[in-house]
Amino acid sequence: MEYSLVCHNLCALWSSPVKKKLILLSIMFLIWVYMLYSCVGYCSTMPSLVVDSYRGKETVSAVGKRTESGRTDLVSRLLAKPQPWEDIESDYEEPSIRTAASRDLLDNEMDMDRAEDWDEMRGEQQRAPEPSAMSSFSNGSGSKKLPQAIIIGVKKGGTRALLEFLRVHPDIRAVGAEPHFFDRNYDNGLEWYRELMPKTLEGQITMEKTPSYFVTREAPARISAMSRDTKLIVVVRDPVTRAISDYTQTLSKKPDIPSFESLTFKNRTTGLIDTSWSAIQIGIYAKHLDNWLHYFPMEQILFVSGERLISDPAGELGRVQDFLGLKRIITDKHFYFNQTKGFPCLKKAEGSSKPHCLGKTKGRTHPNIDPEVVQRLRDFYRPFNMKFYQMTGHNFGWD
């Protein structure tokens, strides 16, 4: 009796058209909520893995380590403490034993390079892009490719200025932060590296810059293994001025470091130069170049003068555009000279209608160095400079 009554009520309820629609909508809504809940739960726990083609194992995806919230954090990956890289061994008469002070300086220089690179990135993010600037990328078009050209050096030579100038060109797309893939992050694999790159369209060039590649022994072989056709750009500068600039950067972060003079010499009395100090070692360009020439022909390497990049930026950028096989779009009209900073600035930066100069970390005033020490360094570098001129077929006029 009770069963018949229940069936009768259900049939009456179902026979009502309005109530029938409400029941169907309710069922569909519950199914939709359940599917959404299941999808979110799956996505939040699914590991993002890629196969490391070099080591045959699974590694965390290219965009970096997964945070506790289940998302990846590229910033933490770029700012993570780098793996120490082995300095190039010295084959000169001076013993290659690094003093405690210079070893500490080298470690801190890595951290400062990374911090300054991040400062530049934050400055770029603060420049609001124009609505029409690179609009083709706003809808997700293009694809990420391994770089066809890399600015491999040198530190404090003008690499940041060159990169910023080149980014004005519509056919160049470059990652802003230094990836340090071929010196510190190589174990992460090529897919990790590729994911750091910006998207490019057909005919556009992908670029990156990491100045420490030039002095890293393993970098030439690693880049060659990626692609033997990679074009390499080296920004070189008077090695004495470069060393002082290098020291000035360190001094701005650590005012209590030893004097430039005490770090330059192993023995001030005998005038023996300490080539284990990275600020000195980087400027021995001929030694580092010899390592690269074992893997790349000279015609694939372009040497940009850091001095001419200041005095004639359009001229140097013309050479770079020719080297990359691009139309000369960046010309004199893109630059003006900033008297206060002592550097050329862009009249119109990438993605902005406003003038753009490099950040406050560029163009620091150098400390006064004993002229005798400067002369001793010039004497030390002279034979290496002559060899470098001979190797490159270009006299940079540093002597």
Side-chain angles (χ1 to χ4, degrees), residues 102-356:
S102 61
R103 186 185 302 109
D104 291 341
L105 278 176
L106 178 59
D107 293 338
N108 283 289
E109 284 165 3
M110 291 183 185
D111 294 335
M112 285 185 289
D113 289 345
R114 191 168 59 250
E116 290 194 2
D117 194 48
W118 182 242
D119 288 341
E120 292 289 341
M121 284 294 292
R122 285 190 298 182
E124 291 169 16
Q125 292 171 355
Q126 291 171 358
R127 297 199 301 271
E130 295 177 337
S132 60
M134 304 304 293
S135 58
S136 59
F137 291 92
S138 62
N139 58 10
S141 60
S143 59
K144 294 185 177 184
K145 301 180 179 67
L146 293 171
Q148 298 100 323
I150 304 176
I151 301 174
I152 60 173
V154 298
K155 179 185 178 185
K156 309 309 296 179
T159 58
R160 170 58 61 180
L162 178 61
L163 184 72
E164 290 299 298
F165 295 162
L166 284 174
R167 292 173 80 179
V168 173
H169 201 292
D171 290 333
I172 293 178
R173 294 283 288 161
V175 58
E178 296 173 2
H180 284 281
F181 175 65
F182 295 104
D183 57 355
R184 304 178 193 171
N185 297 306
Y186 193 64
D187 287 344
N188 289 338
L190 281 175
E191 287 305 313
W192 179 91
Y193 186 46
R194 188 198 307 271
E195 282 299 315
L196 297 180
M197 299 300 126
K199 290 182 177 180
T200 54
L201 300 173
E202 187 67 29
Q204 290 183 317
I205 293 177
T206 302
M207 290 188 67
E208 70 114 320
K209 76 105 176 172
T210 303
S212 54
Y213 290 163
F214 188 62
V215 297
T216 300
R217 183 179 294 275
E218 300 83 4
R222 290 172 173 177
I223 294 177
S224 178
M226 177 187 72
S227 173
R228 294 182 180 179
D229 296 326
T230 305
K231 293 187 176 182
L232 310 172
I233 300 175
V234 187
V235 188
V236 288
R237 181 184 184 186
D238 182 335
V240 177
T241 308
R242 197 221 65 82
I244 297 173
S245 179
D246 201 335
Y247 174 80
T248 303
Q249 174 182 307
T250 307
L251 183 66
S252 69
K253 306 294 183 180
K254 290 178 64 68
D256 58 341
I257 62 172
S259 67
F260 180 86
E261 290 82 357
S262 63
L263 290 169
T264 298
F265 297 102
K266 285 185 176 294
N267 187 314
R268 180 68 185 270
T269 303
T270 61
L272 197 62
I273 301 294
D274 185 0
T275 59
S276 68
W277 183 25
S278 64
I280 299 296
Q281 190 181 107
I282 291 173
I284 308 175
Y285 302 140
K287 176 179 173 63
H288 306 308
L289 177 58
D290 185 64
N291 186 35
W292 287 88
L293 293 179
H294 284 89
Y295 299 90
F296 291 93
M298 187 64 78
E299 54 266 25
Q300 274 180 241
I301 308 175
L302 178 70
F303 297 90
V304 175
S305 167
E307 288 82 10
R308 281 181 53 83
L309 198 58
I310 296 174
S311 63
D312 182 20
E316 287 299 280
L317 265 293
R319 295 179 58 241
V320 176
Q321 291 171 95
D322 292 344
F323 174 69
L324 296 175
L326 298 175
K327 182 180 179 180
R328 285 199 178 195
I329 291 178
I330 307 172
T331 61
D332 282 320
K333 67 181 182 181
H334 288 91
F335 301 98
Y336 74 94
F337 192 82
N338 186 302
Q339 296 292 342
T340 302
K341 293 186 70 68
F343 284 97
C345 299
L346 289 169
K347 291 181 180 179
K348 183 178 179 181
E350 179 205 27
S352 174
S353 58
K354 298 179 180 180
H356 170 58

Side-chain angles (χ1 to χ4, degrees), residues 41-49 66 70:
Y42 175 76
C43 292
S44 65
T45 58
M46 182 179 65
S48 177
L49 300 175
R66 182 171 301 281

Side-chain angles (χ1 to χ4, degrees), residues 361-381:
T361 61
K362 307 301 179 183
R364 297 186 183 96
T365 302
H366 291 180
N368 293 323
I369 306 297
D370 185 341
E372 181 183 343
V373 174
V374 173
Q375 186 57 51
R376 178 66 186 88
L377 275 176
R378 295 207 176 280
D379 294 340
F380 166 77
Y381 279 121

